[in-house]
Amino acid sequence: MEKVCRDWAKQAFGEGLVDAKYWDEFATNAQTAAAEVYKVKDFAAGEAKLKELLAQYAPKEIIAVGGEENPALHDIYERIGNDGTQIYTDKFDIYDHRDSADVGISTAEFCVAETGSLCVDNYSYEARVTSMLPFVNIVFVNANYIVKDVTVACQIIGKVFDKGYLGFVTGPSRTADIERVLSLGVHGPNKLLIIAVENVEGGR
Amino acid sequence: MAERNLKKEIQEKLQDDIMQSALSKFAEQYPGSRLNAYKDQDIEELRENLRQMKHDAVQHIDELADEFQASLEKRGTKVFRAKDGDEVKKILIDICKENNVKRVVKSKSMASEEIHMNECFTDNGIRVKETDLGEWMIALAGQRPSHMVMPAIHLNRYQCAKMFEKEVDHEVPGEDIPNMIQLARKTLRQEFLQADMGVTGANFGIAENGAIGLVTNEGNARLVTTLPRIHVVLIGYEKLIPKTEDAASILRLLPRNGTCQRMTSYMTMVDGPTKVIYKDENGRHVETDRKQYVILLDNGRLEAAKDPVLQQAFQCVRCASCLNVCPIWTLVGGHVYGHIYSGGIGAILTGLFHGVETFHEFSDLCIGCRKCASICPGKIPIPDLIDELRARYVKKYGAPGMDKTMFNMVLNDRGMFHKLLLKAGSIGSAPFKKGKFIRHLPLFMEELTKGRSLPTIAEESFRDRVERLSKKNPSKPKKRVAYFSGCNMDFVFADTSENVVKVLQSLDMEVVYPMEQACCGKPILGIGDREAGKETAKKNIAAFEKVQPDVIISACPTCTETLHETYMKLFENDPEWKARAAAFCSKVREFSSFVAEEYKKTGRLVHAKGGEKVTFHDSCHMKRGLGIYEEPRALIDATPGVELVEMHNCDKCCGMAGSFGMKYQEVSIPMLNEKVKNIQDTGATTAVVACPACMMQIGGGLDKAETGINTKHIADLLAEKL
Ligand code: SF4
Ligand code: SF4
């Protein structure tokens, strides 16, 4: 999958800028923005959480990205497929099912504590449609990758952003254009579910 | 264009109950929600940081544009520079022809509305759809947005449902908002999927890498920049910033001020052509770089950017919070401003993009209360820029005749003016007069007393009392104080002026009153006539130089601000008068802050036993112009027998605002009614003010509504307890 930066941790995160200690602040602010947040200890626990969520939303079709870069996710997607749910991970398959899929699974590079945002590297078309078109977006992120505020986040982005497409996602798509009543899921997802993995090496 | 009847348009909006209820609810909730979004943040530091960043960027606007263009070209984007809207439209049509574009989706862009971009698509048979929900509904109904961030705030759900019906041709129940949202999602999803081209604006453009930033909640901008195979960006030069990290300065304030969120749902940065997948004619998948075109729009921006005063307008990040707190906007809504940008900043931007003539049509709608300037993330002194544009209009077209004749009389013959006022006032004598107020006026003047009583003109003007009062000056004075009365305190509230003198004398001050003093000049400066303003200023400066005072005191905050600050600015480039003005201005003090200081020195500024409830109204010029609001409260607290109870929205404008309150009754009276209600709700028996204009308005409102509540200037309150 095309990305703005191949390895954010190595190339973008500077000394001391990213820290797990901001978790509580991040989680609170993400929840205020109507995201659901789940911290899991490793990918095995993440898979269990994912399956639990999928059982809840019972998708007919899933589109998913991030498996190419992350073997753990790759295996999880494969097992979901083997369990009998349609899951598409090839970019052209994703294109074909972008409007019919009910759930999109994607990844984020880091979290922003101040705002409860996820920083997403969306250079590729498939990453964008996966996170935007289905009604539910589930996002995997490393729970240790949290920056304090938007200022630090922009510094980090500035180090690697030379071309492409990236940004912050903070809660689901929303509008208040009718009588200032908050309504979710207007163009993008109605649900944003974040699975934050503490130990990305363990549990495989 | 046909001459507009602004008063009539305002009337209609005031009678639109749906809009009125939406706006008043919003105005009530907004300030608290905004502060909540800033919890644990140093707002002033963030504002200063943004101001600085944008200020520096504007100084280098040409270099930034060159760098931005070069960055984009290096990445494969085609960049255009357009002088005006017509050039933009020509470029767009060429792009559409070259790429065989039939369908266009747009995400919100103020710049595109500014130049009426959509017309060029429809004229050429190209289908164009706004995709921001509010903009989409408004466009379906052929209306104009009334707010930069919430375009449909003037409508209720049933009106929105009617707009939906235009697009979906079946009945849409207005009760069910979630259903409407899903209907919009379904309808617009097809537009996104089928569009050939997506058009966006940009919240910022980054010179170092050519990225543009888009801040939205719905996510429509992400779809507009993802699904179609062509992306066109229309961006004003003023949106350019040097580096990616500078975006943080904007992003930490824009969502908080704009929608009271720490961050909007989506903040997207797009840099150059990005990947797109589609199927070719043979049904085969193609993955390729999307075509990207960026159009830099001038339309008056580059010229304004070189103007040291007006360039401050480019510190604007279009959060619209200046509308949300504006006492006029929240009453009349956005449509009466007539152009795409409404509110105070709207008037300014319209002036820059469409000329001072268009600006002038609705420049009256700012009363200079400074509420907006106190919360603007870019720290733009909005009312000052409006004053500047008014001055430019007057320079070009002259001051309105009527205002000027009146003013010359006020200025040059004060004695004559008083006689005239008395005579005019006498039509209001018995049976209309009651106590110190005129409740009704006959015939054509009736309008003036519709929602408020008018104060009577003092039988004996203050200037006629000076000789008598001077006799009570202390023999060994601490200071020599020269009193500047201003018009109201001379002719209308002469008793209050007398109390000012008494309080000062009680502090062992010698009070002198230079007879040649004139009006402070604010009314004429307010309409933009700086030359006449300078004449007035010179007259006053000379008059006060003669008496050689230690301090110059005014008990009117508007006069104080004019004497203390505006005079300085007026003579900035006048070598002869600059020094004289500086000497004068440095001596000017507002009454209550001066008295509080002197009380403190003598140990009198201490809590006294309370009693009768009084409430205090902050005048706009006093609180936000001079930054004085603690001192009068301390004085009330130190006054025996009274107890301060705060009213709701104590610093919201009472609606008088110079001559505005007389000229725009229809706007002024609802503002006054709100103030009267807030005062009544406190249970106070007296409303204390520190400004004669507020005293006239609030006193008149409390009397007309027969509340039995007194209105007193702080000088009256203090003098009573001497
Ligand atoms: S002038 Fe200031 S408050 Fe008004 S829209 Fe611009 S940035 Fe916001
Ligand atoms: S100064 Fe007051 S009246 Fe003028 S635009 Fe600002 S808030 Fe509105």
Side-chain angles (χ1 to χ4, degrees):
Chain A
M1 181 169 71
E2 190 114 18
K3 291 186 77 170
V4 168
C5 177
R6 276 277 132 229
D7 191 339
W8 281 78
K10 271 218 191 81
Q11 291 165 25
F13 300 168
E15 199 57 41
L17 294 182
V18 176
D19 202 309
K21 71 178 179 196
Y22 301 120
W23 171 261
D24 288 343
E25 195 186 341
F26 164 73
T28 311
N29 289 326
Q31 280 158 352
T32 308
E36 288 173 29
V37 186
Y38 306 99
K39 184 149 93 169
V40 295
K41 70 177 189 309
D42 54 25
F43 270 110
E47 180 171 358
K49 185 43 104 188
L50 175 64
K51 286 184 171 158
E52 189 189 312
L53 293 171
L54 290 177
Q56 196 180 328
Y57 293 103
K60 290 195 201 61
E61 285 181 9
I62 300 172
I63 48 181
V65 293
E68 274 172 43
E69 293 74 28
N70 186 326
L73 276 182
H74 177 269
D75 296 351
I76 292 174
Y77 295 161
E78 213 167 71
R79 285 192 287 273
I80 289 173
N82 292 340
D83 289 351
T85 311
Q86 273 302 340
I87 180 163
Y88 301 101
T89 54
D90 169 75
K91 62 186 175 190
F92 291 142
D93 287 340
I94 290 175
Y95 172 86
D96 289 339
H97 296 273
R98 60 198 169 146
D99 192 36
S100 52
D102 323 282
V103 169
I105 308 174
S106 56
T107 55
E109 305 310 322
F110 63 89
C111 314
V112 186
E114 176 194 355
T115 54
S117 308
L118 296 170
C119 176
V120 294
D121 179 337
N122 284 157
Y123 201 150
S124 81
Y125 176 90
E126 61 272 26
R128 273 176 268 151
V129 294
T130 299
S131 59
M132 285 306 287
L133 293 186
F135 215 55
V136 178
N137 181 206
I138 304 174
V139 188
F140 279 93
V141 67
N142 186 323
N144 304 293
Y145 293 169
I146 312 174
V147 301
K148 182 167 161 282
D149 57 29
V150 172
T151 306
V152 179
C154 288
Q155 275 164 15
I156 288 179
I157 292 171
K159 280 196 228 168
V160 293
F161 192 28
D162 185 57
K163 183 171 191 260
Y165 198 114
L166 51 70
F168 301 145
V169 172
T170 315
S173 156
R174 69 182 65 216
T175 185
D177 273 350
I178 303 178
E179 280 191 15
R180 292 196 306 118
V181 175
L182 176 66
S183 315
L184 301 179
V186 52
H187 292 302
N190 177 58
K191 289 266 173 206
L192 180 74
L193 315 173
I194 302 169
I195 302 178
V197 183
E198 275 181 289
N199 178 359
V200 293
E201 302 300 332
R204 295 237 311 268
Chain B
M1 200 197 294
E3 184 84 359
R4 291 181 55 191
N5 187 342
L6 193 56
K7 279 179 86 89
K8 187 162 157 263
E9 286 176 42
I10 289 173
Q11 273 302 352
E12 281 166 19
K13 293 297 170 192
L14 291 171
Q15 280 155 15
D16 179 345
D17 292 340
I18 292 168
M19 184 188 92
Q20 285 302 318
S21 115
L23 295 189
S24 66
K25 218 160 72 196
F26 176 56
E28 204 48 51
Q29 291 166 352
Y30 173 78
S33 313
R34 168 181 172 269
L35 279 182
N36 192 34
Y38 277 105
K39 202 163 150 262
D40 303 328
Q41 300 287 329
D42 184 340
I43 308 185
E44 289 315 308
E45 192 183 312
L46 291 174
R47 291 176 73 210
E48 180 51 29
N49 185 285
L50 174 58
R51 188 200 65 77
Q52 190 74 46
M53 190 276 286
K54 290 286 278 179
H55 173 82
D56 292 349
V58 175
Q59 313 311 312
H60 301 108
I61 200 162
D62 293 321
E63 292 100 300
L64 288 177
D66 290 345
E67 192 186 347
F68 182 64
Q69 175 161 6
S71 298
L72 282 167
E73 283 169 350
K74 203 172 102 196
R75 288 161 180 81
T77 299
K78 197 154 169 35
V79 181
F80 300 89
R81 298 194 180 203
K83 203 162 81 298
D84 54 26
D86 287 341
E87 278 192 26
V88 173
K89 291 176 192 167
K90 202 176 153 299
I91 295 164
L92 283 170
I93 292 309
D94 288 347
I95 296 173
C96 288
K97 283 198 181 124
E98 189 187 319
N99 296 287
N100 193 24
V101 170
K102 298 271 181 301
R103 302 177 73 120
V104 174
V105 281
K106 273 183 69 197
S107 72
K108 195 174 167 58
S109 149
M110 298 299 296
S112 80
E113 289 170 30
E114 172 188 324
I115 60 162
H116 305 285
M117 177 197 278
N118 291 3
E119 287 168 7
C120 86
F121 294 123
T122 38
D123 290 352
N124 284 275
I126 297 163
R127 181 184 175 94
V128 57
K129 286 284 165 193
E130 294 289 346
T131 59
D132 172 272
L133 177 63
E135 297 282 338
W136 177 66
M137 291 188 304
I138 295 284
L140 290 178
Q143 288 197 7
R144 282 186 300 117
S146 68
H147 186 275
M148 288 192 270
V149 174
M150 297 168 297
I153 188 170
H154 58 290
L155 303 171
N156 70 9
R157 61 185 76 189
Y158 302 98
Q159 293 169 314
C160 291
K162 285 275 164 284
M163 299 186 169
F164 272 73
E165 285 172 1
K166 293 204 163 78
E167 186 80 351
V168 298
D169 58 52
H170 57 75
E171 208 174 303
V172 177
E175 296 76 40
D176 194 352
I177 294 179
N179 173 55
M180 280 196 262
I181 303 291
Q182 288 319 304
L183 205 57
R185 179 184 173 104
K186 228 172 80 193
T187 314
L188 283 165
R189 179 60 65 87
Q190 290 314 309
E191 297 290 342
F192 287 120
L193 290 169
Q194 291 174 38
D196 306 303
M197 182 166 109
V199 180
T200 68
N203 290 94
F204 51 85
I206 303 172
E208 66 169 353
N209 59 9
I212 59 138
L214 296 163
V215 178
T216 75
N217 265 317
E218 297 180 4
N220 55 324
R222 275 171 79 82
L223 297 185
V224 168
T225 52
T226 292
L227 297 172
R229 58 196 161 79
I230 301 164
H231 175 202
V232 176
V233 183
L234 178 67
I235 177 172
Y237 281 88
E238 82 283 13
K239 298 289 176 67
L240 298 178
I241 59 175
K243 293 183 180 310
T244 307
E245 26 182 292
D246 295 323
S249 311
I250 298 173
L251 293 171
R252 297 191 71 173
L253 290 130
L254 171 58
R256 288 184 164 102
N257 253 52
T259 47
C260 307
Q261 293 167 285
R262 291 183 174 214
M263 186 57 68
T264 52
S265 296
Y266 302 103
M267 188 291 294
T268 299
M269 294 192 199
V270 188
D271 189 357
T274 52
K275 294 290 171 216
V276 64
I277 297 176
Y278 59 92
K279 276 186 174 167
D280 66 13
E281 313 84 69
N282 308 317
R284 272 195 305 258
H285 290 105
V286 183
E287 180 178 30
T288 168
D289 272 345
R290 175 194 327 278
K291 283 195 181 175
Q292 194 192 42
Y293 301 89
V294 172
I295 307 171
L296 275 161
L297 174 65
D298 180 355
N299 212 24
R301 288 166 168 82
L302 290 176
E303 196 192 317
K306 308 271 172 320
D307 184 311
V309 182
L310 298 180
Q311 65 172 207
Q312 295 175 87
F314 295 154
Q315 286 147 223
C316 174
V317 295
R318 310 279 192 275
C319 69
S321 51
C322 52
L323 319 184
N324 305 348
V325 298
C326 174
I328 305 297
W329 191 93
T330 51
L331 257 184
V332 301
H335 286 149
V336 298
Y337 292 82
H339 273 256
I340 218 63
Y341 301 103
S342 65
I345 189 65
I348 297 166
L349 294 176
T350 305
L352 301 187
F353 304 153
H354 305 283
V356 282
E357 295 75 13
T358 323
F359 157 83
H360 185 72
E361 286 171 22
F362 55 91
S363 68
D364 271 354
L365 294 176
C366 172
I367 53 174
C369 76
R370 305 202 80 82
K371 201 76 190 180
C372 54
S374 71
I375 60 132
C376 168
K379 291 178 83 169
I380 305 173
I382 294 170
D384 301 342
L385 297 195
I386 290 180
D387 275 348
E388 179 69 28
L389 283 165
R390 281 183 189 140
R392 292 190 188 190
Y393 180 86
V394 167
K395 210 164 172 190
K396 201 163 166 187
Y397 296 100
M402 174 61 185
D403 292 4
K404 188 143 180 189
T405 350
M406 267 294 269
F407 187 75
N408 276 335
M409 187 173 58
V410 181
L411 180 62
N412 293 324
D413 195 342
R414 305 283 279 184
M416 181 65 188
F417 183 54
H418 182 231
K419 285 197 195 88
L420 218 119
L421 282 176
L422 265 183
K423 205 160 167 217
S426 69
I427 29 172
S429 54
F432 306 107
K433 215 151 102 180
K434 187 171 171 244
K436 290 192 167 184
F437 287 105
I438 305 168
R439 287 250 171 96
H440 305 281
L441 283 173
L443 299 171
F444 70 99
M445 286 178 84
E446 193 198 299
E447 275 290 302
L448 295 179
T449 48
K450 248 190 180 153
R452 66 168 95 76
S453 311
L454 287 177
T456 54
I457 302 299
E459 292 287 340
E460 188 188 15
S461 71
F462 175 72
R463 56 182 56 237
D464 295 336
R465 309 180 189 191
V466 171
E467 208 184 303
R468 170 167 55 83
L469 293 169
S470 308
K471 297 197 177 110
K472 299 205 183 116
N473 271 335
S475 50
K476 282 192 208 119
K478 274 207 276 190
K479 281 183 188 144
R480 173 168 243 229
V481 176
Y483 177 51
F484 181 90
S485 63
C487 308
N488 272 328
M489 297 287 266
D490 190 354
F491 304 129
V492 183
F493 299 118
D495 291 347
T496 300
S497 272
E498 201 170 326
N499 285 331
V500 166
V501 174
K502 282 185 191 156
V503 172
L504 291 171
Q505 285 172 336
S506 82
L507 287 162
D508 283 334
M509 306 283 163
E510 176 196 5
V511 184
V512 294
Y513 187 80
M515 280 295 171
E516 284 121 67
Q517 64 179 279
C519 163
C520 70
K522 175 72 190 174
I524 199 90
L525 287 163
I527 60 170
D529 193 341
R530 291 207 176 143
E531 287 315 311
K534 279 187 193 164
E535 288 315 307
T536 319
K538 286 179 184 170
K539 199 169 161 142
N540 282 326
I541 294 171
F544 279 76
E545 278 170 349
K546 276 190 208 154
V547 298
Q548 299 188 343
D550 300 311
V551 192
I552 300 167
I553 293 285
S554 162
C556 165
T558 309
C559 296
T560 310
E561 202 186 9
T562 309
L563 304 178
H564 182 62
E565 286 167 23
T566 316
Y567 282 15
M568 238 2 256
K569 286 187 204 143
L570 279 177
F571 298 110
E572 235 163 27
N573 302 315
D574 183 331
E576 190 203 332
W577 281 88
K578 193 175 172 182
R580 290 173 76 176
F584 173 89
C585 295
S586 65
K587 288 184 184 163
V588 175
R589 293 289 310 270
E590 187 276 328
F591 171 76
S592 70
S593 73
F594 178 76
V595 172
E597 195 178 289
E598 293 299 323
Y599 269 33
K600 201 166 177 188
K601 281 187 203 159
T602 50
R604 274 166 76 181
L605 200 65
V606 286
H607 176 72
K609 197 173 166 322
E612 198 193 326
K613 281 187 193 166
V614 303
T615 189
F616 183 73
H617 162 76
D618 291 282
S619 115
C620 298
H621 288 270
M622 181 112 150
K623 173 148 188 208
R624 288 175 292 273
L626 301 170
I628 299 172
Y629 54 96
E630 281 167 351
E631 294 88 336
R633 289 180 167 79
L635 287 174
I636 293 174
D637 188 54
T639 305
V642 294
E643 187 184 321
L644 178 68
V645 279
E646 292 288 353
M647 71 176 99
H648 182 55
N649 283 338
C650 56
D651 67 351
K652 189 166 176 182
C653 182
C654 64
M656 180 46 104
S659 58
F660 177 88
M662 294 297 168
K663 195 161 164 193
Y664 290 97
Q665 297 292 316
E666 49 284 88
V667 184
S668 172
I669 297 303
M671 291 166 76
L672 173 58
N673 291 344
E674 188 188 331
K675 184 57 68 180
V676 167
K677 180 174 180 302
N678 287 334
I679 292 173
Q680 277 182 303
D681 287 350
T682 61
T685 48
T686 303
V688 182
V689 296
C691 164
C694 301
M695 183 146 125
M696 184 182 287
Q697 174 88 335
I698 293 175
L702 289 172
D703 179 78
K704 185 88 178 185
E706 302 191 3
T707 57
I709 301 171
N710 297 313
T711 312
K712 283 181 192 157
H713 192 284
I714 184 105
D716 301 328
L717 188 79
L718 297 177
E720 271 171 26
K721 310 281 174 175
L722 282 176

